[in-house]
Amino acid sequence: MQKHWWKVLSVLLIAYSIIAGFLGDVPARDILNESIRNLYFHVSMWFAMITMMTISLVYSIKYLAGYKRPFDNRANLFAEMGLVFSFLGIVTGALWAKFTWGAFWTNDPKLNGTAITILIYLAYFILRGSMDDQDKKARIAAVYNIFAFVLMIVFIGILPRITDSLHPGNGGNPGFNQYDMDSSMRQVFYPAVLGWILFGVWVAGIRYRINTSKERIETWKNDILNQLH
Amino acid sequence: MFAAIFGAMLKEIVALIKKDALLEFRQRYAFFSILLYVVATVYISYLIFISINDARVWNALFWIILVFASINTAGKSFSNESENRFWYYYQIASPQALILAKVIYNTLLIWAISLITYLVYSWFIGNPVQSQWQFLLVLLLGSASFSGILTVVSAIAVRTNNNATLMSILSIPLLLPVVIIVVRASLGAMFGLDFEQNLVYLGALLALNTLVIILGFLLFPYLWRE
């Protein structure tokens, strides 16, 4: 039970962020109005996504350092989790944009950054699928993961600074302090981010156990078949 | 000590570039096929558009043609090498020298292709660029950035079974930062804006290119051995 406290914490934090996110007080801002509550759900998706991608990057580096298969498996699963969060972020953002900007999609550096991130990671999964040899697949995918992650950070971290954007918190600086947040919102926002990150790690862990169990069942099956023949 | 290692590497790089240039010269059809690809694409664009009055459309079309020509050029940089020849390289060169040589060679090749594309494109579709030297500067820096990214991706794609398709799906998302910077900078050159306004974009291109070369330098050793 001691190992599971953070899973309970994750559920509690998410539940708290949903309840406090809808019922709590928010500062009245022009244009944003009540839609500012979306920050709790939309922006925390991006924080969770970047964290998942970073964990995936770390596992890719670890894989290249020692060629241990479990690291590659985890890198793959965390990239998948990151992609899930990016889709959730796109949906929550698009719904918000429809009511605030009047369109689901606009030509904005942040939106382009998301689209690129999704394309890059979809290409990562296609790259993995295109090779049969497990060790070669792991090695090449790790190299691509590292290369793509760095370029993605350039794209979503640096490019918005030299171009303009409609996005809240922008106007030359995508920095997080520029958000129209006050301390009462931070009390909900940070727990939401932490909750979703823990939730992502949890799901990736479960998927890892499912994957390794499947592989083990395959090898057992093959062993039994070999003995029968 | 450091100078000696660097000198030896420089020698390897020069030798590898010479080797690539010689192979290219012996198999001229590869270079001319890219050239013909560019000319045919420009001509079909000309037949579709006849003349382009909008500077943004002119710019967009030019860069689309150049992106695909670059992907085709750099995509062959490793697939031309047979497996057996790689065994030979393992004996004589370091992986770092090999990737740097390939990046430099591809840069030269893409520079040639992009200058010719620019000429042919201006010939058929017209040239509304107000500041030629700025545009050429953006063209050269942008092509160098294309070459860095595409060479690394080509080294990845050549290891897979489905080289040609993977080359484009892996590289197009990665090229987008460069494309966005380059399109803005070249629009500045087209409207003849002050050079200082473009300086931030050119600086960003240079920084990006350096980053890509460092990454290739670090990652290529993991790619090249079976």
Side-chain angles (χ1 to χ4, degrees):
Chain A
M1 192 58 210
Q2 280 173 340
K3 275 163 68 184
H4 299 297
W5 62 269
W6 58 274
K7 297 172 184 170
V8 178
L9 180 68
S10 135
V11 173
L12 289 178
L13 286 176
I14 292 173
Y16 162 72
S17 78
I18 292 172
I19 294 166
F22 281 115
L23 300 180
D25 281 332
V26 290
R29 305 276 182 206
D30 286 346
I31 303 170
L32 292 174
N33 297 327
E34 287 293 315
S35 81
I36 198 170
R37 291 175 195 280
N38 191 39
L39 179 134
Y40 302 135
F41 310 105
H42 168 67
V43 184
S44 43
M45 290 301 141
W46 298 130
F47 278 66
M49 177 196 84
I50 290 292
T51 313
M52 294 301 121
M53 303 299 192
T54 312
I55 297 173
S56 169
L57 171 85
V58 170
Y59 277 118
S60 281
I61 294 171
K62 273 182 158 177
Y63 178 78
L64 287 183
Y67 298 117
K68 301 256 188 336
R69 277 283 301 288
F71 289 144
D72 171 61
N73 206 341
R74 285 188 189 270
N76 178 25
L77 292 172
F78 275 104
E80 268 177 23
M81 267 330 283
L83 203 60
V84 169
F85 279 121
S86 74
F87 279 123
L88 290 174
I90 283 241
V91 171
T92 50
L95 287 173
W96 174 85
K98 180 68 187 166
F99 291 103
T100 317
W101 296 337
F104 286 116
W105 192 267
T106 59
N107 179 23
D108 179 276
K110 289 219 164 176
L111 278 81
N112 290 336
T114 325
I116 300 312
T117 309
I118 289 177
L119 284 178
I120 284 177
Y121 280 92
L122 286 176
Y124 170 76
F125 296 120
I126 289 175
L127 177 69
R128 294 186 69 90
S130 75
M131 285 173 284
D132 297 325
D133 180 349
Q134 290 291 338
D135 292 321
K136 185 170 145 189
K137 177 202 281 185
R139 190 160 42 93
I140 307 273
V143 170
Y144 179 76
N145 195 6
I146 297 169
F147 190 63
F149 182 87
V150 175
L151 285 184
M152 178 191 88
I153 291 298
V154 169
F155 197 92
I156 62 181
I158 296 167
L159 218 55
R161 283 169 208 267
I162 58 174
T163 51
D164 281 331
S165 168
L166 271 177
H167 208 279
N170 267 93
N173 188 350
F176 169 48
N177 292 330
Q178 301 289 316
Y179 275 94
D180 294 320
M181 274 210 291
D182 62 10
S183 58
S184 70
M185 287 189 75
R186 290 206 175 89
Q187 281 167 17
V188 181
F189 176 67
Y190 289 121
V193 169
L194 187 65
W196 284 112
I197 289 173
L198 291 176
F199 189 73
V201 174
W202 182 12
V203 175
I206 293 171
R207 304 248 308 128
Y208 176 77
R209 294 213 298 277
I210 293 174
N211 268 13
T212 42
S213 307
K214 268 186 192 160
E215 277 176 21
R216 219 171 291 159
I217 289 170
E218 276 302 307
T219 47
W220 284 342
K221 232 200 260 168
N222 288 339
D223 283 351
I224 293 168
L225 282 176
N226 285 340
Q227 281 168 11
L228 284 177
H229 283 299
Chain B
M1 168 80 178
F2 185 75
I5 295 174
F6 190 71
M9 195 163 180
L10 204 66
K11 241 166 116 184
E12 278 179 11
I13 292 174
V14 170
L16 285 166
I17 293 175
K18 271 188 189 156
K19 183 261 324 175
D20 272 340
L22 191 67
L23 281 179
E24 193 79 53
F25 182 72
R26 287 193 186 145
Q27 306 175 329
R28 270 160 296 223
Y29 79 93
F31 182 77
F32 285 109
S33 70
I34 300 284
L35 221 55
L36 192 59
Y37 172 86
V38 163
V39 173
T41 317
V42 170
Y43 196 68
I44 203 171
S45 314
Y46 164 71
L47 286 181
I48 292 168
F49 284 98
I50 304 296
S51 78
I52 297 177
N53 297 321
D54 188 346
R56 282 172 192 282
V57 177
W58 188 93
N59 198 28
L61 191 61
F62 176 75
W63 285 105
I64 289 172
I65 293 172
L66 200 58
V67 163
F68 283 95
S70 309
I71 290 176
N72 275 330
T73 314
K76 300 187 288 84
S77 54
F78 288 93
S79 54
N80 262 350
E81 314 270 15
S82 66
E83 282 288 316
N84 299 339
R85 209 187 283 158
F86 267 113
W87 285 112
Y88 177 54
Y89 293 146
Y90 298 154
Q91 318 287 331
I92 57 165
S94 69
Q96 282 88 1
L98 189 64
I99 187 76
L100 284 183
K102 286 280 182 193
V103 169
I104 294 169
Y105 180 73
N106 273 337
T107 306
L108 296 174
L109 207 59
I110 294 178
W111 273 352
I113 297 282
S114 59
L115 289 176
I116 294 168
T117 309
Y118 185 50
L119 281 180
V120 178
Y121 192 75
S122 308
W123 175 272
F124 282 114
I125 302 186
N127 189 338
V129 177
Q130 290 186 16
S131 171
Q132 293 292 340
W133 68 271
Q134 265 195 62
F135 193 89
L136 285 175
L137 195 64
V138 173
L139 189 61
L140 293 182
L141 270 176
S143 313
S145 299
F146 284 170
S147 148
I149 294 174
L150 288 171
T151 310
V152 178
V153 173
S154 159
I156 292 174
V158 76
R159 293 290 183 208
T160 64
N161 313 328
N162 193 349
N163 188 1
T165 320
L166 268 176
M167 181 69 203
S168 28
I169 60 164
L170 293 179
S171 57
I172 289 174
L174 297 182
L175 282 179
L176 269 148
V178 184
V179 170
I180 287 187
I181 298 173
V182 142
V183 164
R184 280 169 198 263
S186 57
L187 264 182
M190 287 182 75
F191 295 133
L193 298 183
D194 284 339
F195 183 58
E196 269 132 47
Q197 292 188 353
N198 255 340
L199 220 54
V200 59
Y201 295 122
L202 297 180
L205 275 182
L206 265 181
L208 196 65
N209 210 357
T210 319
L211 182 75
V212 166
I213 288 173
I214 291 171
L215 278 175
F217 198 83
L218 293 175
L219 293 174
F220 188 66
Y222 295 102
L223 280 177
W224 88 322
R225 274 182 201 276
E226 275 301 319

